[in-house]
Amino acid sequence: MLAFQRVLGLKFKNILLLNMAFIHRSASNEQHAKALPDVRSNSNNERLEFLGDSILGAVTSALLYTELSGNEGDLAKIKSIVVSEETLSGIALQLQIDKMLILGRGEELSGGRGKKALLADAMEALFGAIYLDLGYKSAFKFISRCIKPEIENVRNNRGFVDYKSKLQEYCQKHFRSYPQYKLVKRDGPEHEHYFWIGVTCNDKTFGPCAGKNKKTAEQDAAKLALEFFEKKEQIT
């Protein structure tokens, strides 16, 4: 944890709070969290995630207000991109949060460390832990360091890619058909559903991919399909 705190540029007063940010509910359900001193087996990062989501929203809104001059609609669009699961999971990977996650055995075996939803949740939980342990000023500074480059990416059109639209254009051009998306399953507690969606193009199915909402899962499935077809074109 000391090495990780150096990566963050922070020093926690309560290290257990930092640990808590990375405990997925699958670990607490399987009582793996008992390996951590003074942490109850039913503890996980969901409450910190709830808090961190609000802190992230407040900081991002403040940054957009002070640094950009767009109207409310423009600012809202940029905000939706920079606080998205796609963006947060990318930041989490840069910080190597995937290595910090504490998962249950089932989640570990199913590739939980690479799931964008879990990484984004842990990122939000980390924001919440920083706020509780070090205060709003430190949280604002850290979140700003994470989010400002993403805002700049969006301003320079290097941010969100609409893979669904790109896949639709590709399928219309090459197959004269449209991609077909299918909800394979939905799981998770009532307040935190995960959607698993696959896409079929030219009789080939890709996915399913998981997301906290259908839009994210569809985008990831579309990305898989596009990457397959583009790679196939390069080979042939």
Side-chain angles (χ1 to χ4, degrees), residues 150-167:
E150 304 302 332
I151 293 175
E152 193 61 27
N153 281 340
V154 175
R155 292 179 66 184
N156 294 323
N157 296 317
R158 298 196 302 268
F160 177 73
V161 177
D162 188 350
Y163 292 105
K164 282 187 66 178
S165 295
K166 284 181 172 290
L167 179 62

Side-chain angles (χ1 to χ4, degrees), residues 1 4 18-24 45 97 100-102 122:
M1 276 297 181
F4 181 69
L18 179 57
N19 283 334
M20 186 69 70
F22 305 125
I23 302 176
H24 186 252
N45 65 2
I97 284 177
M100 306 299 297
L101 292 175
I102 301 171

